[in-house]
Amino acid sequence: MPNTIQSIELRNLKIEDYKELKKSMVESYPEMADSFWQEEQLEILLNKFPEGQLVIVVDGIVVGSALSILVTEDFAFKTKTYKDITGNYTFSTHNSEGEVIYGIDVFINPKYRGLRLGRRLYDVRKELCEQLNLKSIIFAGRIPSYGKYKDEITPKVYIEKVKKKEIYDPVLSFQLSNDFHEVRVLKNYLEGDTESLEYAVLLEWNNIYYEDSPKLINVKKSVVRLGLIQWQMRSLSNLKALFDQAEFFIDTVSGYESDFALFPEFFTAPLMADFNHLSEPEAIRELAKHTEAVKLKFQEFAISYNINIITGSMPFIEDGHVYNVGFLCKRDGTNEMYRKIHITPNEVFHWGITGGNAIQTFDTDCGKIGVIICYDVEFPELSRLMADEGMNILFVPFLTDTQNGYTRVKHCAQARAIENECYVAIAGCVGNLPKVNNMDIQYAQAAVFTPSDFAFPSNGIKAEATPNTEMTLIVDVDINLLKELHEHGSVKIMKDRRHDLYSLKKI
């Protein structure tokens, strides 16, 4: 390695680079000194796929390169030898319609190793894959240290030991550290590769941003805007008064182009004042008679204000049982119901509410979401099953009377965000209802929680409302940050689960 370096440049290959490129190539492969690329071969590559040919230039000297072609995924996985993948070194196999980059070569002059220049080439190749909206990068990597172990272990066992860092392989160890995963072992891949005994490992890096048949309209958004409504409990004269108050908030958050409006659990409870002379089980059943009208009106709001509305929750009677349910009213006019699964002792004792039995996620124009009601967030199994189905945002409408209850909801919601690598939005009711039995006081602080990693707030809190004050909270969340976290986070909670020891599944 030179003692001093003045400049390092990574750029696309030019044919004028060939003389220096050849020198670095020969020095990089002393065991195959006669197998360097010819100038006319590089000219073919530059004509077919110029953006895929990269070089590293140190103080004006070409010290490394990454060469590649485009092929179809099917061709990359089926082709078994280097000669076949390159079309006998003519690159006739390059397919401009291919959805994957196939790596033909990567090398760094030995004099310049130790500067992580190879990593730079890999990173730029990944950026190119994302920019071109290609599915993956695929190539077959040599295993040059295998020759030392050929009499002791098979290539398969060798790869496992390299993965576990029991054996160091200068090529495979580097590729695995750059987020490539092995697909299978290839035999007789590169003719003349005596160090590897002509074995190679087919490796793949997946572009998490790849869009199959990208659309110009109706594309799922990366940045999603959430409108959380911290609802003031107050006396309401009738159902129209409730609709007027709800429309005010929907109008407000949609005016800021929110994609979702989240209402709290039992935000319709003020209407129970008319039934306060009845027993509590009778009063909740009377309130349930408004549920269908509320759903229909919120469907209308979702369409007219172009926003997806999560209606918090309200009582619902089915087959004689009272359930605590809510509706996802989508801006396309459709709606889906969700039910509270875990019922608090208070709800059972005072209202006789029955728990639901469906664990589900919902597809929206902003991606897959989950909705669980209040007490449900204190049971981690629900949101984990939803995360396994691809949920990115978990909505939690809640109702807590004391700060103790709110603390349980808040900290459990934060835990769900971290352990499931998702966003969690919570919204509750504030204020008092002195004329409604079992609903007299409320405590809430709406918030949006995030995972805890460098791309997110250090305390895992994206935003919080003022406690016990009627207001809205409007928050942007970036779904692409979750994709990066899943693949490249400081820890990878979803990926690192020990499925060999335990599992979680729906019954």
Side-chain angles (χ1 to χ4, degrees):
M1 184 188 306
N3 293 328
T4 60
I5 291 177
Q6 303 299 320
S7 67
I8 297 177
E9 180 186 11
L10 198 161
R11 60 169 170 79
N12 287 110
L13 171 69
K14 302 174 184 176
I15 197 61
E16 293 82 12
D17 298 322
Y18 178 72
K19 185 176 180 180
E20 292 177 357
L21 186 73
K22 176 183 173 182
K23 182 179 178 181
S24 286
M25 197 184 321
V26 171
E27 293 181 10
S28 298
Y29 299 119
E31 72 282 5
M32 296 185 288
D34 297 328
S35 300
F36 55 84
W37 296 113
Q38 301 297 321
E39 185 171 358
E40 55 268 25
Q41 291 174 310
L42 294 187
E43 285 182 338
I44 294 172
L45 279 176
L46 287 172
N47 287 330
K48 288 179 176 290
F49 187 32
E51 57 268 57
Q53 319 315 321
L54 306 168
V55 290
I56 286 274
V57 182
V58 178
D59 293 337
I61 301 172
V62 178
V63 303
S65 181
L67 310 176
S68 56
I69 59 175
L70 294 179
V71 298
T72 64
E73 184 179 48
D74 183 61
F75 180 74
F77 282 144
K78 288 197 307 185
T79 309
K80 298 180 179 180
T81 71
Y82 191 67
K83 184 179 290 187
D84 290 340
I85 200 74
T86 60
N88 198 20
Y89 313 110
T90 67
F91 312 118
S92 59
T93 49
H94 173 81
N95 183 346
S96 59
E97 300 300 317
E99 68 268 37
V100 305
I101 292 176
Y102 196 98
I104 295 299
D105 202 353
V106 175
F107 62 85
I108 297 292
N109 189 310
K111 298 175 183 176
Y112 293 85
R113 291 175 185 169
L115 298 173
R116 295 184 173 86
L117 300 181
R119 186 177 296 273
R120 293 198 194 195
L121 288 169
Y122 274 58
D123 288 345
V124 171
R125 190 184 266 173
K126 291 173 185 176
E127 289 177 14
L128 177 65
C129 186
E130 293 171 0
Q131 291 167 3
L132 298 179
N133 188 40
L134 299 174
K135 198 169 187 178
S136 63
I137 300 171
I138 298 174
F139 62 85
R142 302 169 60 235
I143 45 175
S145 292
Y146 177 63
K148 303 174 186 177
Y149 300 90
K150 62 182 176 60
D151 296 327
E152 303 171 26
I153 53 178
T154 65
K156 181 179 179 181
V157 174
Y158 176 82
I159 293 167
E160 286 301 314
K161 287 183 175 292
V162 172
K163 288 170 63 178
K164 294 177 181 178
K165 302 189 186 306
E166 295 174 7
I167 294 175
Y168 174 77
D169 185 283
V171 177
L172 182 59
S173 296
F174 172 74
Q175 291 158 344
L176 293 175
S177 71
N178 276 276
D179 299 319
F180 284 82
H181 63 270
E182 77 280 8
V183 178
R184 68 172 184 273
V185 176
L186 298 176
K187 190 175 181 180
N188 302 321
Y189 179 71
L190 179 60
E191 187 177 347
D193 183 8
T194 55
E195 288 184 321
S196 307
L197 303 185
E198 298 187 359
Y199 284 107
V201 184
L202 191 65
L203 295 149
E204 182 179 27
W205 175 86
N206 297 109
N207 174 15
I208 59 176
Y209 303 113
Y210 173 70
E211 294 285 346
D212 188 14
S213 302
K215 305 173 184 177
L216 296 179
I217 59 173
N218 295 330
V219 180
K220 287 185 173 61
K221 303 173 66 172
S222 169
V223 177
V224 179
R225 182 161 293 175
L226 312 180
L228 281 55
I229 296 158
Q230 193 153 283
W231 178 269
Q232 174 81 42
M233 291 294 207
R234 55 166 62 82
S235 297
L236 296 171
S237 56
N238 52 39
L239 188 58
K240 182 181 182 304
L242 181 133
F243 289 156
D244 289 344
Q245 186 67 18
E247 185 172 12
F248 164 78
F249 284 114
I250 293 169
D251 185 19
T252 299
V253 298
S254 69
Y256 287 99
E257 299 182 349
S258 297
D259 297 292
F260 291 93
L262 173 62
F263 282 81
E265 180 183 22
F266 279 130
F267 77 100
T268 62
L271 298 176
M272 276 202 293
D274 291 342
F275 317 119
N276 215 34
H277 61 287
L278 301 175
S279 68
E280 289 158 347
E282 290 174 321
I284 200 74
R285 287 175 176 268
E286 288 297 319
L287 181 62
K289 294 178 180 178
H290 293 302
T291 294
E292 181 65 19
V294 173
K295 181 193 76 171
L296 294 174
K297 192 64 176 178
F298 274 67
Q299 278 185 269
E300 180 185 317
F301 287 151
I303 295 170
S304 58
Y305 287 98
N306 189 29
I307 189 170
N308 301 300
I309 302 174
I310 296 159
T311 67
S313 81
M314 56 204 80
F316 177 76
I317 298 176
E318 183 178 75
D319 297 329
H321 297 288
V322 181
Y323 295 92
N324 185 349
V325 311
F327 302 92
L328 168 60
C329 296
K330 301 180 186 179
R331 49 186 159 199
D332 65 4
T334 61
N335 75 89
E336 297 184 75
M337 178 190 287
Y338 50 87
R339 303 184 186 217
K340 188 172 185 176
I341 293 175
H342 299 91
I343 309 303
T344 64
N346 183 288
E347 290 174 280
V348 175
F349 180 79
H350 290 282
W351 292 327
I353 291 181
T354 300
N357 55 15
I359 304 170
Q360 60 194 128
T361 54
F362 303 99
D363 291 312
T364 74
D365 54 6
C366 298
K368 196 176 290 289
I369 69 165
V371 186
I372 55 179
I373 302 173
C374 197
Y375 193 33
D376 284 337
V377 80
E378 298 174 35
F379 297 84
E381 297 88 351
L382 298 186
S383 51
R384 174 50 56 87
L385 289 167
M386 294 176 181
D388 283 338
E389 293 180 4
M391 172 195 68
N392 292 315
I393 307 173
L394 179 65
F395 292 94
V396 186
F398 71 91
L399 177 72
T400 50
D401 53 354
T402 66
Q403 192 167 357
N404 303 54
Y406 170 73
T407 297
R408 290 193 297 270
V409 170
K410 173 185 177 180
H411 290 297
C412 289
Q414 283 193 275
R416 304 298 85 85
I418 292 170
E419 68 199 16
N420 296 307
E421 299 177 340
C422 68
Y423 297 107
V424 180
I426 67 173
C429 295
V430 300
N432 308 304
L433 279 177
K435 295 184 179 181
V436 177
N437 292 331
N438 198 41
M439 292 290 294
D440 42 3
I441 59 173
Q442 324 296 327
Y443 184 96
Q445 183 179 21
V448 175
F449 303 119
T450 73
S452 183
D453 213 322
F454 296 116
F456 305 95
S458 57
N459 62 358
I461 302 174
K462 179 73 173 177
E464 285 183 302
T466 303
N468 273 5
T469 302
E470 184 171 58
M471 63 181 294
T472 60
L473 186 65
I474 298 175
V475 185
D476 285 346
V477 296
D478 190 341
I479 304 303
N480 280 344
L481 291 181
L482 299 180
K483 294 180 180 179
E484 292 179 8
L485 176 70
H486 295 332
E487 298 295 329
H488 312 300
S490 300
V491 294
K492 303 172 185 177
I493 297 172
M494 293 296 288
K495 282 192 167 186
D496 289 342
R497 290 175 292 168
R498 290 289 302 275
H499 291 297
D500 58 322
L501 295 179
Y502 58 84
S503 65
L504 180 65
K505 62 181 180 179
K506 297 179 184 179
I507 296 176

